[in-house]
Amino acid sequence: MSALASTVVDLANAAYPAPDVTTVAQQTEVSTGGLRTWIEDNIVFTILVVIACVLLTGGLRGNLSKVVTVGGLTLVGLAYLGIATSESAANGIGNWALGLFGINV
């Protein structure tokens, strides 16, 4: 009985060989550099245009306190975005913040 089972398994393996797994595997390195570049090139410009439209609309309505508030918060947001996208700036800010507590890195 086991000889019959062995023969059936051998015939099945001969008729349908196992696929080569190496042809399915990815050969390239995965990184987020392309996504970061796309966001910096496309999204940042769109956000700046929308913010400019909001500031101009607020200025036309005469609501200058809201224009100053939105403009100030926009500058804070853009500074945060600049720090987040630059590795050397993030390291510098981190070292400065740790220096406030007396930790030198």
Side-chain angles (χ1 to χ4, degrees):
M1 188 68 161
S2 66
L4 179 63
S6 175
T7 305
V8 169
V9 168
D10 289 339
L11 287 173
N13 286 338
Y16 301 103
D20 186 17
V21 178
T22 58
T23 59
V24 181
Q26 184 173 353
Q27 300 284 332
T28 60
E29 182 180 336
V30 178
S31 70
T32 59
L35 178 63
R36 180 184 295 180
T37 304
W38 183 83
I39 288 173
E40 288 175 356
D41 291 343
N42 298 312
I43 301 298
V44 173
F45 179 73
T46 306
I47 290 172
L48 289 174
V49 169
V50 169
I51 290 170
C53 291
V54 168
L55 292 175
L56 289 173
T57 305
L60 289 174
R61 291 184 183 171
N63 194 356
L64 294 180
S65 64
K66 188 176 262 187
V67 169
V68 171
T69 303
V70 170
L73 292 175
T74 300
L75 291 177
V76 170
L78 289 175
Y80 180 78
L81 183 67
I83 292 169
T85 56
S86 172
E87 186 175 335
S88 61
N91 287 336
I93 297 291
N95 290 338
W96 173 77
L98 289 174
L100 292 176
F101 298 106
I103 302 171
N104 293 323
V105 179

